[in-house]
């Protein structure tokens, strides 16, 4: 244990439970529903409203071998190829074999997927998939439908939920085992101010960390809080350097910051073409799947073409779809484009890559257990080994579903006793001023974005360390930052950014979605290893390279 905690008031209230689930996307709500069904007293804590997480923004769908002629083995093969030699094959096999039934259970929970005229689930293709295996809902509103179904089930089951609550730190007992979380309710919940949920099992399902970059598809709540909490608690994170930049995000201008509208890969799956300003298709000949190559390949091709032509975006041309198909298959994307003055029925859509998905995260085993006893992680916050160096399209919702069920089964079997939290640390981490958020995002975009190099990463590391030192210095004087949501979020962003950059500097090769301009080739002799990072008591990231492509056990006795 590190003893590192955020600077915050002591909890002024507390409730007790068997399990606290942090996050309300597909992973969090699935875990909560399964835990409650097993008779465990379960509390769900979420940063905004129950349906405001990343899941509801997912457009494309959920991948599973549900179609005629498709098999889990074929799904496994596509996943391993996309992961560029770093997937844990056992984790992938778990995903693809348990995935189809997990989707069917989701349907039983109330999710309605689009169907064909014969009543079968309608399936489409996305990048990296050799078969049509993407189930979708509402055309391009899959995440919203899944979120609707799960939120409805949670409310029907009358689970205890705490909305508008930012989780601060893990509580541990005298033996270093999980004993709950501290959290701050932002004025609109059952409680206000800082409190605690005391529970022997904590499930992190906090989603991604896209807000460390200036432009992202992630909602504003995706500030890496779960990864930061886990690091401060002494947990290991892995593969954080592998940030997937979605190739086709609606380009709103070079100065546009924050959440950007996604143009789903399913648009290319249905036959849209990537073209440059002259209307020339540039993916043909670069990969056997052309526009449907894995996302890292498409993002690199777009970025390379932009550099060659001195432009800030490329175009996605789907005018041949016609109005009817746009309106029926992609109503959400059509509305977003038109809201920004672009009509994809009559003109190509300007697109550019933006931060989309963290392939790495808090390191877990196949039961979702982290290196801290009693702490679990699933969904985007976790690193199960499924994604390797680059997530295969639409595997994320499936991963959240499958591993959430596995976590619930493990907690239900173990049923650990409740224990008392030990006193907090005497030396809490100094907080950053909220104004530092923009500086962090611009530093990360400039130095650790789609294109990276030793020089850009060194500059980013220097700028981030300067912010870290400044916060530590200010914390000793009259300018100490007042604790609050904005300060806690930006402090989390800084910690996650420092760890990401440390890992990216250590990985001196190009692999998956980690693209080093100065190291353009894969180095399988040294690079087929995972980078595991923890935070030392002096707050510095410590990077460890595994001996093989396999993860070490999360428990010494395993």
């Amino acid at each position: 244990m590190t003893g590192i905690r955020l600077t915050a008031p002591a909890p002024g209230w507390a409730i007790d439970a068997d399990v606290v689930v942090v996050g309300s996307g597909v992973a969090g709500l699935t875990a909560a529903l399964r835990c409650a069904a097993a008779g465990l007293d379960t509390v769900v804590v979420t940063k905004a409203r129950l349906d405001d997480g990343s899941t509801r923004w997912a457009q494309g769908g959920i991948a599973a071998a549900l179609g005629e002629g498709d098999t889990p083995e074929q799904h496994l093969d596509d996943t391993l190829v996309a992961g560029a030699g770093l997937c844990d094959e056992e984790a992938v096999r778990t995903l693809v074999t348990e995935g189809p039934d997990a989707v069917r259970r989701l349907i039983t929970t109330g999710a309605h997927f689009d169907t064909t005229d014969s009543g079968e689930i309608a399936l489409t293709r996305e990048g990296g998939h050799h078969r049509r295996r993407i189930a979708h809902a509402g055309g391009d509103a899959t995440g919203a439908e899944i979120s609707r179904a799960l939120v409805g089930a949670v409310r029907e089951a009358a689970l205890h939920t705490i909305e508008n609550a930012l989780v601060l730190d893990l509580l541990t007992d005298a033996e270093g085992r999980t004993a709950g979380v501290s959290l701050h309710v932002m004025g609109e919940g059952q409680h206000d101010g800082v409190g605690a949920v005391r529970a022997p099992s904590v499930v992190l399902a906090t989603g991604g960390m896209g807000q460390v970059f200036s432009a992202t598809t992630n909602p504003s709540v995706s500030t890496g809080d779960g990864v930061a909490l886990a690091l401060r608690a002494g947990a290991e994170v892995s593969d954080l350097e592998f940030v997937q930049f979605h190739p086709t995000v609606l380009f709103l201008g070079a100065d546009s910051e924050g959440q950007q509208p996604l143009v789903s890969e399913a648009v290319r799956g249905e036959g849209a073409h990537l073209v440059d300003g002259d209307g020339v298709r540039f993916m043909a000949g670069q990969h056997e799947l052309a526009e449907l190559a894995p996302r890292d390949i498409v993002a690199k091709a777009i970025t390379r073409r932009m550099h060659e032509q001195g432009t800030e975006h490329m175009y996605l041309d789907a005018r041949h779809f016609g109005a009817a198909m746009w309106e029926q298959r992609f109503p959400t994307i059509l509305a977003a484009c038109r809201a920004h003055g672009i009509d994809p029925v009559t003109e190509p859509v300007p697109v550019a890559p933006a931060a989309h998905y963290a392939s790495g995260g808090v390191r877990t085993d196949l039961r979702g257990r982290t290196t801290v006893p009693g702490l679990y992680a699933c969904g985007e916050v976790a690193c199960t080994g499924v994604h390797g160096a680059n997530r295969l399209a639409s595997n994320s919702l499936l991963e959240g579903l499958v591993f959430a069920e596995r976590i619930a089964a493990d907690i239900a079997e173990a049923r650990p006793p409740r224990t008392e939290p030990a006193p907090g640390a005497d030396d809490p981490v100094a907080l950053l001023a909220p104004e530092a958020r923009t500086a962090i995002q611009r530093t990360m975009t400039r130095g650790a974005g789609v294109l990276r190099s030793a020089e850009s990463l060194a500059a980013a590391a220097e700028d981030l360390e300067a912010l870290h030192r400044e916060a530590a210095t200010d914390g000793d004087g009259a300018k100490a930052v007042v604790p609050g949501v904005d300060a806690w979020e930006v402090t989390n962003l800084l910690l996650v950014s420092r760890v990401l950059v440390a890992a990216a500097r250590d990985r001196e090769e190009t692999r998956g979605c980690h693209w080093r301009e100065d190291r353009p080739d894969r180095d399988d002799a040294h690079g087929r290893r995972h980078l595991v990072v923890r935070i030392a008591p002096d707050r510095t990231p410590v990077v460890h390279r595994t001996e093989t492509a396999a993860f070490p056990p999360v428990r010494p006795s395993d």
Side-chain angles (χ1 to χ4, degrees), residues 107-406:
I107 293 171
T108 302
T109 303
H112 300 293
F113 289 96
D114 295 337
T115 56
T116 64
D117 292 339
S118 62
E120 299 295 322
I121 296 176
L123 301 172
T124 189
R125 275 184 69 195
E126 290 185 355
H129 292 273
H130 283 79
R131 283 193 176 270
R132 298 178 76 90
R133 65 167 66 97
I134 316 300
H136 48 83
D140 59 356
T142 310
E145 170 57 19
I146 291 173
S147 181
R148 180 206 62 76
L150 290 173
V151 168
V154 164
R155 288 178 174 151
E156 184 178 345
L159 264 65
H160 188 163
T161 61
I162 304 175
E163 296 178 295
N164 304 300
L166 173 64
V167 168
L168 303 176
D169 279 302
L170 191 73
L171 303 177
T172 53
D173 62 18
E175 303 300 320
R177 185 184 165 79
T178 292
V181 292
S182 59
L183 68 158
H184 173 77
V185 181
M186 296 176 260
E188 289 186 34
Q190 180 179 344
H191 309 278
D192 195 9
V194 175
V197 180
R198 298 181 298 216
S201 298
V202 171
V203 181
L204 292 179
T206 52
M209 55 185 189
Q211 291 291 329
V212 302
F213 296 95
S214 297
T216 177
T217 62
N218 290 188
S220 60
V221 294
S222 298
T223 49
D225 307 315
V227 171
L229 175 151
L231 283 164
R232 286 192 297 271
E236 294 178 350
V237 303
S238 187
D239 299 356
L240 221 60
E241 69 272 27
F242 296 118
V243 177
Q244 187 177 84
F245 287 78
H246 198 288
T248 54
V249 176
L250 186 62
F251 180 75
L252 302 179
D255 297 327
S256 184
E257 296 182 338
Q259 186 178 10
Q260 312 288 302
L262 175 66
V263 182
S264 170
E265 197 154 304
V267 178
R268 282 174 280 139
E270 296 292 351
H273 302 143
L274 282 165
V275 298
D276 60 20
D278 298 321
V280 176
R281 287 183 65 184
F282 55 88
M283 283 305 301
Q286 296 210 27
H287 190 276
E288 62 168 336
L289 296 177
E291 277 89 355
L292 288 177
R295 287 178 178 174
D296 63 305
I297 293 171
V298 180
K300 291 172 189 176
I302 290 174
T303 304
R304 190 177 293 116
R305 194 73 158 194
M306 284 161 47
H307 283 197
E308 289 172 357
Q309 299 192 341
T311 59
E312 295 173 323
H313 62 82
M314 289 286 111
Y315 292 93
L316 189 63
D317 191 352
R319 289 174 290 179
H320 55 286
F321 284 6
M325 181 171 174
W326 268 109
E327 291 165 2
Q328 294 168 15
R329 181 68 177 87
F330 301 111
T332 308
I333 299 169
L334 178 64
C337 289
R338 285 178 171 169
H340 292 283
I342 300 156
D343 189 349
V345 176
T346 60
E347 60 186 318
V349 178
V351 294
H356 182 57
Y357 190 89
S359 293
V362 185
R363 188 167 80 81
T364 74
D365 63 11
L366 296 183
R367 289 182 276 176
R369 303 183 306 170
T370 74
T371 51
V372 174
L375 179 65
Y376 295 80
C378 57
E380 190 172 354
V381 70
C383 182
T384 62
V386 160
H387 304 309
N390 184 40
R391 174 179 67 95
L392 181 65
S394 288
N395 267 356
S396 51
L397 292 175
L398 190 71
E399 183 197 31
L401 202 59
V402 167
F403 285 88
E405 292 186 341
R406 289 182 142 250

